[in-house]
Amino acid sequence: MTQEEKTKTEERIVDVLKTVYDPEIPVNIYDLGMIYKIDVKDDGTLDVDMTFTAPNCPAADFILEDVRTKIESVEGIKTANVNLVFEPAWDQSMLSEEARLELGLD
């Protein structure tokens, strides 16, 4: 996979991640800042590090499966390894400007 192909694949991954929502928050997980790493490998394997806004998120299983399913639907991705991490801990500074506006924080 060329660097250009990786870049286009990463853009498509961001697009699908913007369709994943925590049922309790009206903002997608990407704009919430819950995605820490997107790493596309040459063999079509993808490593994603993500977190939750709270460690005891009641929708964790649903969100993780939604992320995995949607990422694996992206052309060029064979397997998605979704790693749940809590370092660094999520906080409001990770919100995109769009998310801050949507949540009325600005």
Side-chain angles (χ1 to χ4, degrees), residues 36-54:
Y36 289 169
K37 177 180 88 170
I38 298 172
D39 185 18
V40 179
K41 309 285 187 199
D42 288 334
D43 66 355
T45 301
L46 173 75
D47 290 327
V48 173
D49 287 354
M50 68 171 290
T51 194
F52 290 113
T53 57

Side-chain angles (χ1 to χ4, degrees), residues 8-9 16 34-35 39 51 63 87 89-90 100:
K8 288 184 187 231
T9 300
V16 300
M34 292 169 50
I35 303 298
D39 185 18
T51 194
I63 295 170
E87 293 290 326
W90 181 90
R100 295 185 69 73

Side-chain angles (χ1 to χ4, degrees), residues 6-22:
K6 280 185 182 182
T7 300
K8 288 184 187 231
T9 300
E10 287 174 10
E11 289 170 0
R12 289 192 301 269
I13 290 164
V14 168
D15 288 343
V16 300
L17 288 173
K18 287 185 174 188
T19 69
V20 178
Y21 288 80
D22 180 323

Side-chain angles (χ1 to χ4, degrees), residues 24-38:
E24 297 177 344
I25 306 171
V27 176
N28 68 73
I29 65 168
Y30 189 83
D31 286 329
L32 282 171
M34 292 169 50
I35 303 298
Y36 289 169
K37 177 180 88 170
I38 298 172

